[in-house]
Amino acid sequence: MYKAYWGMEFNPFEKSLSERDFFKSDDFTQAISRMEHLKNIKGIGLFTGLPGTGKTYTLRCFVNSLNPNLYKIIYITLSTVTVLEFYKAIAYGLGVEPYSKKIDLFKAIQERIISLSKDKKIIPLIMIDEAQYLKTDVLNDLKLLLNFDMDSKNYAILILSGQPLLNNILSKQIHDALKQRIVINYNYEGISKDEVNGYISSRLKLCGIVDEIFNANAVEAINSCCNGSTRLLNTILEKSLMMGYQKGLKVIDTEIVMSVQNEINLI
């Protein structure tokens, strides 16, 4: 009902929006450019940022831009696994028999990666989301798994995506060898104050609204409340519109935004 009240054709703040309608923030542009470079040089890329800053969405857009005939995509979201479970997850993704012994899995995975890259001209792209939860043993094995031809070749792309904690983990001496193999690194800053206003305007225009709904003070409050998180920004905007509809308002003000923020904090 609130969408009809504001004259919205659809909800422009939901995560299922098409990639063509996605707001191209500076974070998105910076991360995508680095992923494109990683595509050319292969190896390990590290992308970190606070929750809700768009890391997973960027990965999705990047994957959708790739030619499926040239890349084999393995996307792993369950990062709280043992070493053997991790190997099996990659094996399943590569279409390799999930042997029960780690040494057999290791050999089969490496052989499959080399075969895809050299014989079929297909680049394996392994993406690990929420990588800050990876166990130390798994991180130790990553540098071994991607060691080809006595560490002289890159036959695959590995993207580690996670929260800033991942940077702290990799800075430990035990992971120094893995960190040295990271060829691309980007940390998401989050949506900026200047971008918030443009984001709100572009999202509303997308669903057919041209009139100002959020006044300047409300936008300022929204920027402070979202703390750089696009996910939280979307939640605040949608709940503000719902509350504005319930109160019969024509413009969203600071009072509504702060009420929504208090409501969110109680969840």
Side-chain angles (χ1 to χ4, degrees):
M1 290 295 292
Y2 79 94
K3 292 193 287 288
Y5 175 82
W6 292 108
M8 300 165 64
E9 297 173 6
F10 57 89
N11 179 7
F13 307 117
E14 57 187 14
K15 63 181 181 180
S16 60
L17 282 180
S18 168
E19 282 84 4
R20 73 173 186 274
D21 297 324
F22 183 67
F23 181 78
K24 302 300 190 295
S25 67
D26 184 60
D27 268 339
F28 179 85
T29 303
Q30 295 287 343
I32 281 291
S33 67
R34 285 164 173 78
M35 289 179 188
E36 287 293 329
H37 183 55
L38 184 62
K39 181 176 71 174
N40 296 325
I41 64 175
K42 298 187 283 292
I44 303 175
L46 174 65
F47 296 86
T48 55
L50 291 171
T53 49
K55 300 184 298 298
T56 301
Y57 195 92
T58 309
L59 287 176
R60 193 167 89 212
C61 289
F62 176 61
V63 167
N64 289 341
S65 72
L66 299 175
N67 184 338
N69 296 317
L70 300 178
Y71 294 88
K72 179 68 174 177
I73 311 299
I74 301 98
Y75 178 60
I76 299 174
T77 56
L78 185 59
S79 53
T80 56
V81 292
T82 65
V83 174
L84 189 59
E85 289 170 336
F86 176 74
Y87 273 83
K88 286 185 176 181
I90 295 179
Y92 283 127
L94 289 171
V96 172
E97 182 178 344
Y99 296 104
S100 58
K101 292 184 178 181
K102 173 182 168 181
I103 189 170
D104 295 326
L105 275 170
F106 181 91
K107 181 180 179 182
I109 289 171
Q110 279 212 326
E111 288 178 348
R112 176 63 169 164
I113 289 175
I114 293 172
S115 174
L116 284 171
S117 181
K118 295 179 69 173
D119 301 334
K120 299 185 178 181
K121 308 303 178 185
I122 296 175
I123 305 301
L125 169 56
I126 304 168
M127 297 180 294
I128 306 175
D129 217 344
E130 301 296 347
Q132 72 273 5
Y133 297 125
L134 288 173
K135 292 179 171 59
T136 296
D137 289 344
V138 175
L139 290 171
N140 287 340
D141 269 37
L142 277 177
K143 62 180 179 291
L144 304 176
L145 192 63
L146 297 182
N147 184 333
F148 299 102
D149 296 348
M150 293 186 177
D151 207 19
S152 65
K153 299 287 185 181
N154 285 330
Y155 290 122
I157 299 170
L158 170 66
I159 293 180
L160 299 173
S161 176
Q163 296 179 27
L165 173 62
L166 182 57
N167 287 316
N168 298 333
I169 293 171
L170 293 176
S171 67
K172 295 180 180 179
Q173 187 174 2
I174 191 174
H175 299 308
D176 193 48
L178 175 59
K179 187 176 181 180
Q180 289 181 20
R181 285 172 167 78
I182 295 172
V183 295
I184 292 292
N185 187 7
Y186 182 73
N187 185 70
Y188 286 66
E189 299 292 333
I191 190 165
S192 69
K193 179 180 179 180
D194 291 338
E195 290 176 320
V196 166
N197 193 34
Y199 180 86
I200 295 173
S201 298
S202 68
R203 299 304 87 188
L204 293 178
K205 287 179 182 178
L206 197 61
C207 67
I209 297 178
V210 294
D211 298 327
E212 182 184 82
I213 292 181
F214 297 86
N215 67 29
N217 289 333
V219 172
E220 189 75 24
I222 290 168
N223 178 68
S224 298
C225 293
C226 75
N227 196 31
S229 168
T230 306
R231 183 186 300 144
L232 184 54
L233 173 61
N234 285 332
T235 300
I236 294 171
L237 291 170
E238 185 173 5
K239 286 184 176 292
S240 293
L241 290 171
M242 291 175 65
M243 189 174 292
Y245 153 68
Q246 292 165 356
K247 292 180 177 293
L249 301 179
K250 296 301 180 184
V251 175
I252 303 298
D253 56 20
T254 306
E255 183 179 348
I256 291 294
V257 175
M258 298 315 296
S259 295
V260 166
Q261 176 67 3
N262 291 333
E263 189 177 287
I264 291 172
N265 289 337
L266 291 175
I267 297 177

